[in-house]
Amino acid sequence: MEEIVEISCPEKPAAVSGPSARPRAASRLPQGRIRRGHDRSQMLRRGFQLGFLLLNVYLGGVFYLWVRQLEGMRPGSLVRPAGVEGWLPIAGLMNFKYWLATGRIPTVHPAAMFLLIAFLATAFLFRKAFCGWLCPIGTFSEYLWRAGRKLIGRNFHLPHWPDVFLRGLKYLLLGFFAWVISSMSSWAIEEFMHSPYGIIADVKMLNFFRHLGEMGLVVLVILAVASLFIQNFWCRYLCPYGALLGLVAMLSPARIRRNDEACIDCAKCTKVCPSALPVHQLITVKSAECTGCLECVAVCPAPNALEMSLPPWRARRPARLPAWAWAVGIAALFFGIVGYAKATGHWNGAVPRAVYVELIPQADQARHPMPGY
Ligand code: SF4
Ligand code: SF4
């Protein structure tokens, strides 16, 4: 199916460098009308986002009921959903290092490691698509800035230098966690993971939100309000997980590529980019901030001007990655790695139920085994 998009052919923005004398693609078309294929990428992406948000709500709900069941020390049929370990990225990193160093799959929070591997692999093959397609916090942030835009008619960008400074914060946080984990031996990681604190780290996180103090509430409200006005405030400035995935994504061969010959310099791609990237001024988008959301491709009115693609290899053009292939690839990687962990019996940890029965009612007493952290 094709749609006709009416466009006016604007003047080339002053900031764009390059030849301006050559005829632009749109001027060669009659009456300023351009033909382009119907784009379903955003429908697909929003479906993924909603699906993963609902999956996380379901996992969180079952986990909460499971914890309540053990707090009451009542017999029950609920089983701990290992998928909640996606919310333990630091445990995932520690276990990943442990696995690399020892070759042994950890027995406490192994799902955290498999999910981290799935998201790292996604970042390498599909850029930071975890943030733009899967992460429930990213989805919630997007709902907030869209609501803010509806409310006041626009979102805001911080001035250049405050923006650069704040973007550095997530790398500082990542650097801190990387330093702590890299300084731990495999033995120290194993000891940490098998301590009461390590075993019920997920329960402690749940309890943090269940018994949110005044300060925690104030921080959450500030983040939510900031997210109404500034697109993806948490992801852009503070999320160390996103920072890690962004660094891996820079190695990805898949990139948004702009064909300068076909481009009509309308700058719609730049305007719509939630990561505030100057897409219409670039030939390839290499930035760690690109989430592979394909919004820029979806709005581009010029045929073949903007595509997510692999670099050219023995071919005249880069290999285009259509939205359906992008979506299928993300899903296949995620479910493939989770499925592998389940099929090989590594998805669920080896902590006996009796240990949880003993630890969960006294979760508040479990102290971090490494003083100072
Ligand atoms: S460059 Fe395109 S794919 Fe990347 S974040 Fe911006 S809109 Fe999304
Ligand atoms: S790539 Fe597409 S959306 Fe971006 S400036 Fe060129 S024609 Fe416009």
Side-chain angles (χ1 to χ4, degrees):
M1 196 158 86
E2 289 190 320
E3 68 176 328
I4 304 293
V5 182
E6 287 284 351
I7 60 153
S8 58
C9 193
E11 286 181 14
K12 192 177 173 73
V16 179
S17 59
S20 56
R22 67 179 163 71
R24 311 306 297 169
S27 62
R28 294 196 294 268
L29 293 167
Q31 298 165 351
R33 288 163 78 86
I34 277 187
R35 205 173 271 275
R36 62 181 273 254
H38 188 67
D39 186 285
R40 290 195 176 85
S41 64
Q42 296 315 297
M43 201 178 72
L44 268 174
R45 189 174 72 85
R46 286 179 194 148
F48 268 59
Q49 286 181 311
L50 184 63
F52 272 77
L53 186 62
L54 293 178
L55 176 64
N56 275 273
V57 169
Y58 167 77
L59 290 173
V62 174
F63 184 64
Y64 171 75
L65 293 174
W66 176 78
V67 170
R68 293 290 293 150
Q69 181 183 290
L70 295 197
E71 279 175 345
M73 286 171 277
R74 287 189 294 267
S77 57
L78 282 176
V79 175
R80 177 180 174 277
V84 292
E85 292 173 21
W87 291 87
L88 300 177
I90 299 170
L93 269 174
M94 288 164 89
N95 277 343
F96 188 43
K97 179 184 170 182
Y98 178 84
W99 174 60
L100 289 178
T102 65
R104 292 197 297 270
I105 298 206
T107 52
V108 179
H109 305 312
M113 181 187 82
F114 284 107
L115 287 167
L116 175 73
I117 292 172
F119 300 144
L120 289 174
T122 309
F124 179 68
L125 292 175
F126 303 103
R127 303 208 61 87
K128 231 168 45 158
F130 170 74
C131 307
W133 289 67
L134 304 180
C135 176
I137 297 178
T139 300
F140 194 57
S141 294
E142 189 170 327
Y143 291 165
L144 282 175
W145 66 254
R146 286 192 191 281
R149 184 179 280 180
K150 279 216 171 101
L151 218 60
I152 56 168
R154 59 169 296 194
N155 298 121
F156 296 89
H157 292 303
L158 291 185
H160 180 67
W161 285 114
D163 178 64
V164 169
F165 170 75
L166 287 175
R167 266 193 284 152
L169 290 181
K170 62 179 184 284
Y171 295 106
L172 278 181
L173 286 168
L174 174 64
F176 170 73
F177 291 124
W179 171 71
V180 171
I181 293 168
S182 63
S183 61
M184 289 175 81
S185 65
S186 308
W187 176 83
I189 290 175
E190 191 165 354
E191 193 183 33
F192 174 87
M193 283 298 172
H194 287 81
S195 70
Y197 187 99
I199 290 171
I200 55 164
D202 42 8
V203 180
K204 289 198 70 82
M205 180 179 282
L206 174 73
N207 286 351
F208 172 79
F209 287 105
R210 275 169 78 191
H211 313 300
L212 201 60
E214 225 170 75
M215 182 57 85
L217 192 63
V218 168
V219 171
L220 282 187
V221 169
I222 290 173
L223 287 174
V225 171
S227 304
L228 280 172
F229 300 110
I230 297 172
Q231 289 177 318
N232 302 326
F233 182 85
W234 164 262
C235 316
R236 187 169 179 82
Y237 298 126
L238 296 169
C239 179
Y241 208 45
L244 173 65
L245 297 179
L247 292 178
V248 175
M250 288 177 83
L251 305 172
S252 173
R255 283 178 188 166
I256 292 288
R257 289 181 167 80
R258 189 175 62 88
N259 177 357
D260 201 33
E261 290 298 314
C263 174
I264 56 169
D265 290 342
C266 67
K268 286 185 177 188
C269 47
T270 294
K271 203 168 163 208
V272 81
C273 176
S275 302
L277 297 168
V279 185
H280 77 288
Q281 297 179 2
L282 304 169
I283 296 300
T284 56
V285 177
K286 298 175 186 156
S287 168
E289 300 295 330
C290 175
T291 60
C293 67
L294 305 182
E295 290 232 27
C296 53
V297 179
V299 297
C300 177
N304 304 321
L306 200 64
E307 289 171 344
M308 182 62 84
S309 61
L310 294 169
W313 187 73
R314 290 192 187 180
R316 283 181 29 237
R317 296 191 65 240
R320 177 171 172 260
L321 289 167
W324 67 262
W326 198 247
V328 167
I330 294 167
L333 206 51
F334 177 79
F335 289 112
I337 291 177
V338 171
Y340 168 81
K342 286 192 175 192
T344 54
H346 293 306
W347 180 248
N348 292 298
V351 179
R353 185 180 170 90
V355 173
Y356 284 123
V357 169
E358 188 187 331
L359 292 179
I360 287 178
Q362 315 156 31
D364 291 340
Q365 274 92 59
R367 292 280 164 261
H368 200 292
M370 294 164 70
Y373 292 112

